[in-house]
Amino acid sequence: MENKIEVKDGKMVVPNKVVIPFIEGDGIGQEITFAMCQVVNIAVAKCYGGEREILWKEVYASSKAEKFFHTPLPDETLTAFKEYVVGIKGPLFTPISGGRRSLNVALRQDLDLYACVRPVKYYAGISSPVKYPEKVNMTVFRENTEDIYAGIEWEAGTPEADKFYRFLQDEMGVTKVRFPNTSSFGVKPVSKEGSERLIRSAMEFALKNRKPSLTLVHKGNIMKFTEGGFKKWGYELCEREYKDQCFTMNSYDQIKNEQGVDDAKQALADAKAAGKLIIKDVIADAFLQNAILYPADYSVIATLNLNGDYVSDLLAAQVGGIGIAPGANINYTSCHAIFEATHGTAPDIAGMNIANPCSMFLSAVMMLEYIGWTEAAQAIDVAIQTCFSEGKATSDLATGMDHAEALSLSQFTSQLINKL
């Protein structure tokens, strides 16, 4: 179909002039999304001399959708993302406590975008709260459709919560709910299939990009059958499907128990020398500490939904903040993907021309890489690094930089376009 990405035999066929649907977003979304389209258009034109072009197609969610369709997530929006395969979105407002469910989560679940992919790296010139931010270079694969984000919960004091508790007590023999009359309840589903497809995607990424290790981050010491299952299924998958390409710490422990620690150490050293991917795991709270103390020990991370939420923001803070943290939500089987700014809507500064657009710009870089337009992606990434190196940034970043020039959103965008 003309101007549409097609999927054949599990791979995308991208036309030179391709339609990309986008959601503008709430709050600062209008400003940063417009700026992103400008930057991408110019990068594509410069790199391909007019042979390639993105044809932007606006679709609606949240406040704009309420205005035009009287619903926060119209069927037309979901249909567009399904039909055109790849899209991008600005930040969307999510109410806290009561109210509608998160539209971000709804898009991920309705389109089965099971992998939330967040690369985190340091850009020279950016201020960081840690001593060696350049040692942070990780890509997080966060499971996107299960865990507590499935939204299965009941509010304290409702008949549903009471019914659920009585089922736990009467049918399942649960006696450990300390205050049942005032407890809310939630269910945490974690499946073998959901865990395996996420970890498989992380494995394929790590192997394709010649990364040294893949770490399974979990809380299996407490949640033995959900988070513990994630770890167990992950090791089993790697040993079953990637035996010749990886060395697992399960194998290390087995050799240590059977042959001694020296043989285990030698086997690990031999695997590294052979260029095999090292598969290891770490308890989530230990990882949060280690990621600050020993960031160079980690490369690709695979984890469950809630852990991934915490981990992504922790790592982003080490390299300068969530304002320069891109994100993607991908189904590697169907090829459907939505790229997004990872921060909030910042309504307090909306319309003031001071928002930082870099999360949106870098998410567009990920999108261009995903569709195979790597030259344009690299051009934007290099231009961003050049701006930071020269001390040019929006005020949120410039405040902590040495001899930096605080620019408005439009000024920074213009500087970036000049670098292109």
Side-chain angles (χ1 to χ4, degrees), residues 106-117:
L107 285 166
R108 296 166 194 165
Q109 291 181 341
D110 290 349
L111 295 168
D112 198 25
L113 306 177
Y114 62 81
C116 178
V117 184

Side-chain angles (χ1 to χ4, degrees), residues 377-393:
Q378 290 170 359
I380 297 171
D381 191 64
V382 169
I384 290 172
Q385 176 61 86
T386 303
C387 284
F388 291 157
S389 297
E390 294 178 356
K392 300 182 188 304

Side-chain angles (χ1 to χ4, degrees), residues 168-238:
L168 290 178
Q169 183 183 48
D170 300 340
E171 302 294 330
M172 304 300 291
V174 173
T175 60
K176 295 181 180 179
V177 180
R178 189 172 297 275
F179 303 108
N181 294 331
T182 57
S183 290
S184 294
F185 296 94
V187 175
K188 176 188 177 78
V190 176
S191 70
K192 181 178 181 180
E193 294 89 343
S195 299
E196 283 190 346
R197 66 180 184 173
L198 183 278
I199 295 166
R200 186 180 293 110
S201 298
M203 280 289 299
E204 294 289 346
F205 173 86
L207 291 168
K208 179 181 178 181
N209 292 279
R210 299 181 179 275
K211 300 293 185 179
S213 68
L214 168 64
T215 304
L216 308 174
V217 175
H218 62 91
K219 193 63 179 170
N221 58 327
I222 302 299
M223 292 169 274
K224 299 183 184 298
F225 304 118
T226 51
E227 305 250 347
F230 179 83
K231 170 196 168 183
K232 172 177 176 288
W233 297 322
Y235 273 127
E236 290 174 349
L237 170 75
C238 296

Side-chain angles (χ1 to χ4, degrees), residues 16 40-53 368-369 371-378:
N16 282 338
V40 170
N41 287 345
I42 291 170
V44 169
K46 292 282 187 181
C47 289
Y48 306 115
E51 290 185 6
R52 289 178 174 175
E53 182 183 1
L368 291 167
E369 290 174 340
I371 66 174
W373 294 12
T374 54
E375 298 85 358
Q378 290 170 359

Side-chain angles (χ1 to χ4, degrees), residues 88-284:
I88 192 166
K89 57 175 281 298
L92 296 174
F93 171 72
T94 299
I96 298 174
S97 187
R100 59 168 169 79
R101 66 171 176 157
S102 165
L103 296 177
N104 297 311
V105 173
L107 285 166
R108 296 166 194 165
Q109 291 181 341
D110 290 349
L111 295 168
D112 198 25
L113 306 177
Y114 62 81
C116 178
V117 184
R118 297 200 178 176
V120 185
K121 69 175 184 178
Y122 177 67
Y123 288 88
I126 295 294
S127 176
S128 166
V130 298
K131 192 171 184 179
Y132 300 112
E134 66 277 5
K135 292 184 178 181
V136 179
N137 188 1
M138 303 183 210
T139 302
V140 178
F141 280 72
R142 166 190 172 191
E143 203 291 316
N144 228 357
T145 62
E146 298 190 314
D147 203 354
I148 61 172
Y149 288 72
I152 307 170
E153 60 176 355
W154 300 277
E155 185 178 5
T158 63
E160 293 81 6
D162 180 62
K163 182 177 181 180
F164 185 73
Y165 171 66
R166 283 189 280 107
F167 170 77
L168 290 178
Q169 183 183 48
D170 300 340
E171 302 294 330
M172 304 300 291
V174 173
T175 60
K176 295 181 180 179
V177 180
R178 189 172 297 275
F179 303 108
N181 294 331
T182 57
S183 290
S184 294
F185 296 94
V187 175
K188 176 188 177 78
V190 176
S191 70
K192 181 178 181 180
E193 294 89 343
S195 299
E196 283 190 346
R197 66 180 184 173
L198 183 278
I199 295 166
R200 186 180 293 110
S201 298
M203 280 289 299
E204 294 289 346
F205 173 86
L207 291 168
K208 179 181 178 181
N209 292 279
R210 299 181 179 275
K211 300 293 185 179
S213 68
L214 168 64
T215 304
L216 308 174
V217 175
H218 62 91
K219 193 63 179 170
N221 58 327
I222 302 299
M223 292 169 274
K224 299 183 184 298
F225 304 118
T226 51
E227 305 250 347
F230 179 83
K231 170 196 168 183
K232 172 177 176 288
W233 297 322
Y235 273 127
E236 290 174 349
L237 170 75
C238 296
E239 291 165 350
R240 183 178 70 245
E241 297 186 11
Y242 301 93
K243 185 176 181 180
D244 295 334
Q245 298 163 280
C246 72
F247 180 84
T248 70
M249 295 310 291
N250 264 359
S251 299
Y252 178 92
D253 290 338
Q254 183 177 353
I255 296 170
K256 183 177 72 172
N257 292 335
E258 295 177 357
Q259 300 171 222
V261 67
D262 290 340
D263 284 350
K265 288 181 178 179
Q266 186 60 52
L268 178 58
D270 291 345
K272 289 181 178 179
K276 288 190 174 184
L277 181 67
I278 306 303
I279 312 299
K280 52 190 176 179
D281 75 278
V282 64
I283 301 298

Side-chain angles (χ1 to χ4, degrees), residues 237-365:
L237 170 75
C238 296
E239 291 165 350
R240 183 178 70 245
E241 297 186 11
Y242 301 93
K243 185 176 181 180
D244 295 334
Q245 298 163 280
C246 72
F247 180 84
T248 70
M249 295 310 291
N250 264 359
S251 299
Y252 178 92
D253 290 338
Q254 183 177 353
I255 296 170
K256 183 177 72 172
N257 292 335
E258 295 177 357
Q259 300 171 222
V261 67
D262 290 340
D263 284 350
K265 288 181 178 179
Q266 186 60 52
L268 178 58
D270 291 345
K272 289 181 178 179
K276 288 190 174 184
L277 181 67
I278 306 303
I279 312 299
K280 52 190 176 179
D281 75 278
V282 64
I283 301 298
D285 45 314
F287 177 80
L288 296 178
Q289 173 182 243
N290 293 347
I292 295 173
L293 296 175
Y294 317 110
D297 288 352
Y298 301 101
S299 179
V300 180
I301 309 301
T303 190
L304 287 165
N305 213 332
L306 182 61
N307 295 333
D309 206 351
Y310 298 150
V311 164
S312 298
D313 283 11
L314 168 81
L315 296 179
Q318 290 178 249
V319 298
I322 202 168
I324 53 173
N329 303 287
I330 302 172
N331 183 315
Y332 285 97
T333 303
S334 70
C335 296
H336 285 92
I338 298 178
F339 299 80
E340 64 180 355
T342 60
H343 51 69
T345 59
D348 54 321
I349 62 169
M352 297 173 64
N353 193 30
I354 61 174
N356 177 1
C358 288
S359 177
M360 197 71 182
F361 290 173
L362 291 169
S363 296
V365 167

